[in-house]
């Protein structure tokens, strides 16, 4: 099963991608997580990406396309993968198509999480993430078991720099201009499924699972307990 999850920043892509990773035991590949890790480690990639990310701008297409081309060659992607935050432009979507063509693979489904702007801003401003594993929480909607501490690795939770108000506005602008056109792109490829992303996390997960299972996209995949 090879899935792309589309949606604005704050639409719940990361949360749902991690849920699917756990359920179907296929890797969730998040370009945002890969870039943040590179920034944290101070690698050449991180130094290049940092200034774009801090301003809420998209990193140049070729940088993320190269990351994905390498990542998809890894053995854990053989049974499938979930792409979270990639592609984000039509150029990236075309490049993904070419990478997959070379590997004789195809995308099975593109899920678009639909959320209104007011809800996105509320979600992003309350979002907290684990410093170590990147798991997402929210001060109102998804609190950890112990205040300020990650449920998975006991690390402290922080607010991402790019979840601060000014940067959030810029990220939403970039989304509308660069990423929204992908809905039409994937609709034209008959791959798009719309998901109501405003419901609670568990209801959205349920809708995604039933959409995937209705489309017979989960054959041969082990479902986690
Ligand atoms: P995310 O965690 O997906 O919201 O990504 C955080 C930031 O990383 C974005 O605001 C961009 O600066 C950068 N980024 C992540 N994925 C991409 C991508 N596919 N193309 C360009 N920039 C990206």
């Amino acid at each position: 099963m090879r899935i792309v999850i589309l949606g604005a920043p704050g639409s719940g892509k990361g949360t749902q991608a991690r849920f699917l990773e756990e359920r179907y035991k296929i890797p969730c590949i998040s370009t945002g997580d890969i870039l943040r890790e590179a920034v944290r480690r101070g690698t050449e990639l991180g130094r290049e990406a940092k200034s774009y990310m801090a301003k809420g701008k998209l990193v140049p297409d070729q940088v993320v396309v190269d990351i994905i081309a390498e990542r998809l060659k890894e053995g854990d992607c053989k049974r499938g993968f979930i792409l979270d935050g990639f592609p984000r432009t039509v150029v990236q979507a075309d490049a993904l198509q070419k990478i997959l063509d070379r590997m004789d693979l195809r995308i099975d489904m593109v899920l678009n999480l639909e959320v209104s702007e007011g809800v996105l801003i509320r979600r992003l401003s309350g979002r907290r993430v684990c410093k170590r594993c990147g798991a997402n929480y929210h001060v109102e909607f998804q609190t950890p078991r112990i205040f300020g501490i990650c449920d998975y690795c006991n690390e402290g939770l922080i607010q991402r720099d790019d979840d601060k108000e000014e940067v959030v506005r810029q990220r939403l602008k970039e989304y509308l201009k660069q990423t929204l056109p992908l809905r039409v792109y994937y609709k034209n490829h008959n791959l798009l499924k719309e998901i109501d992303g405003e419901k609670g996390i568990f209801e959205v997960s349920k809708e995604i699972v039933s959409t995937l299972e209705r489309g017979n996209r989960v054959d041969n995949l082990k479902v986690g307990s």
Side-chain angles (χ1 to χ4, degrees):
M1 174 169 64
R2 287 171 288 273
I3 307 171
V4 169
I5 306 195
L6 290 181
S11 60
K13 293 188 305 291
T15 302
Q16 297 301 334
R18 278 173 180 259
F19 161 76
L20 293 175
E21 173 176 54
E22 184 66 23
R23 182 176 170 96
Y24 297 117
K25 310 292 180 215
I26 51 174
C28 153
I29 302 170
S30 156
T31 39
D33 284 350
I34 294 170
L35 292 168
R36 273 186 291 281
E37 178 62 13
V39 171
R40 199 183 61 77
R41 292 220 222 129
T43 62
E44 199 184 322
L45 168 66
R47 286 196 298 278
E48 183 178 0
K50 192 174 177 175
S51 60
Y52 296 97
M53 296 171 80
K55 291 187 211 127
K57 299 241 177 212
L58 293 185
V59 169
D61 288 326
Q62 200 53 49
V63 173
V64 280
V65 167
D66 290 347
I67 292 174
I68 290 293
E70 283 309 304
R71 181 66 185 86
L72 294 183
K73 285 185 201 153
E74 288 179 29
D76 63 339
C77 295
K78 280 212 169 70
R79 291 174 60 250
F81 50 79
I82 304 142
L83 292 179
D84 160 22
F86 182 92
R88 250 181 162 100
T89 65
V90 171
V91 171
Q92 293 178 21
D94 282 336
L96 175 63
Q97 185 74 45
K98 287 200 186 108
I99 293 167
L100 293 177
D101 283 348
R102 283 200 295 272
M103 299 169 88
D104 209 14
L105 299 174
R106 64 186 170 80
I107 302 270
D108 293 304
M109 200 179 273
V110 176
L111 301 163
N112 182 58
L113 299 185
E114 184 56 26
V115 178
S116 63
E117 192 174 325
V119 174
L120 291 174
I121 290 173
R122 189 153 167 230
R123 283 187 183 173
L124 287 169
S125 57
R127 175 158 73 179
R128 299 293 180 269
V129 294
C130 172
K131 276 197 284 202
R132 186 182 301 158
C133 75
N136 280 316
Y137 297 87
H138 192 279
V139 292
E140 279 177 81
F141 313 126
Q142 197 189 359
T143 52
R145 281 195 293 271
I146 302 167
F147 178 78
I149 303 291
C150 179
D151 291 346
Y152 304 102
C153 60
N154 285 329
E155 207 22 281
L157 304 184
I158 51 164
Q159 182 176 42
R160 276 169 45 174
D161 284 342
D162 62 353
D163 280 345
K164 301 195 170 133
E165 198 178 325
E166 267 313 295
V167 188
V168 162
R169 277 187 215 291
Q170 180 60 37
R171 288 167 68 203
L172 290 175
K173 242 165 81 183
E174 289 273 14
Y175 168 76
L176 292 175
K177 194 165 133 215
Q178 312 245 53
T179 312
L180 199 57
L182 290 181
R183 274 172 81 182
V184 176
Y185 179 99
Y186 283 119
K187 198 162 184 232
N188 291 340
H189 284 73
N190 280 326
L191 289 171
L192 190 77
K193 295 282 177 200
E194 295 285 356
I195 303 286
D196 177 0
E198 289 208 1
K199 295 186 193 150
I201 292 170
F202 297 109
E203 284 159 298
V204 175
S205 302
K206 245 169 83 181
E207 191 180 333
I208 289 178
V209 167
S210 73
T211 304
L212 291 172
E213 296 188 356
R214 256 201 321 272
N216 289 323
R217 299 306 186 202
V218 290
D219 295 353
N220 307 322
L221 286 178
K222 185 173 131 206
V223 175
S225 52

